[in-house]
Amino acid sequence: MAEPVSIFVDPIVTNIINIAASLIQDEFLAINGVKKEVVKLSSNLITIRAVLKDAEQKQLDAASDTLRVWLAKLKDATCDTKDILDIFVPETFLWKRKQQVRRIKPQVSLRNVRYKSSVAHKIKEILAKLDEIAKERDNFHLEEFNDGGRPQNLP
């Protein structure tokens, strides 16, 4: 029997959501033009976390290979997202620290433009993967659960 993916994925998704929430409040994202993408990333991950329990339960009940593949894709996308944020968060911290020391607005440089493009591109790639995973989710008729473990459409 396969080990439940949520044991691995849920803590990572929760961590990423927390990191994204922290990043969303930073001016760094606005300057680097990726704030909208990080907000969407956070929203996608909240939805994914909400259906994770139902997906695993249906996988166990039906022994569905397609659902197992979907959960594996979700696990891979989650790990990729974590890797990107592990690179991005220290850059954000360094930028904030430099701003505290300098007390001036950042200068535009070729390096900053390349970095901005690279980060935005990586986040957009992850968003595309998560959008694909979210669309495939509809094939399994998964219910979204709140943190209390009840379907969200119930009071």
Side-chain angles (χ1 to χ4, degrees):
M1 184 162 129
E3 188 174 309
V5 173
S6 67
I7 292 172
F8 180 78
V9 174
D10 190 66
I12 293 174
V13 169
T14 301
N15 186 344
I16 293 169
I17 291 168
N18 293 335
I19 290 169
S22 173
L23 287 173
I24 288 166
Q25 298 189 10
D26 287 335
E27 185 181 355
F28 181 78
L29 290 181
I31 289 170
N32 284 291
V34 294
K35 186 171 188 169
K36 183 172 69 172
E37 285 82 5
V38 173
V39 168
K40 186 175 179 185
L41 175 69
S42 179
S43 176
N44 284 353
L45 290 169
I46 288 168
T47 301
I48 286 169
R49 184 177 62 183
V51 300
L52 192 55
K53 284 183 183 180
D54 192 34
E56 287 193 332
Q57 188 59 47
K58 286 183 178 178
Q59 175 193 359
L60 294 174
D61 291 347
S64 169
D65 286 334
T66 55
L67 190 53
R68 189 172 298 116
V69 169
W70 182 82
L71 285 166
K73 285 181 185 179
L74 174 59
K75 181 180 176 182
D76 291 344
T78 302
C79 290
D80 291 346
T81 304
K82 178 83 170 93
D83 291 345
I84 289 170
L85 291 179
D86 283 346
I87 294 168
F88 193 57
V89 169
E91 286 286 334
T92 304
F93 174 78
L94 289 173
W95 177 85
K96 285 181 359 183
R97 186 70 186 128
K98 286 178 183 177
Q99 297 316 302
Q100 290 171 347
V101 171
R102 290 186 193 154
R103 299 274 186 217
I104 59 172
K105 292 291 178 190
Q107 298 175 355
V108 176
S109 71
L110 186 56
R111 181 182 177 273
N112 288 344
V113 171
R114 279 191 209 130
Y115 177 75
K116 173 184 169 182
S117 176
S118 172
V119 168
H121 180 71
K122 288 177 184 178
I123 290 175
K124 285 178 182 178
E125 283 179 357
I126 289 295
L127 282 173
K129 278 186 190 179
L130 289 174
D131 283 344
E132 180 183 323
I133 289 168
K135 286 176 187 171
E136 290 175 3
R137 173 193 97 172
D138 294 338
N139 296 335
F140 306 111
H141 310 290
L142 301 175
E143 291 186 54
E144 292 184 22
F145 286 83
N146 62 22
D147 289 334
R150 296 186 348 220
Q152 287 188 359
N153 57 355
L154 296 177

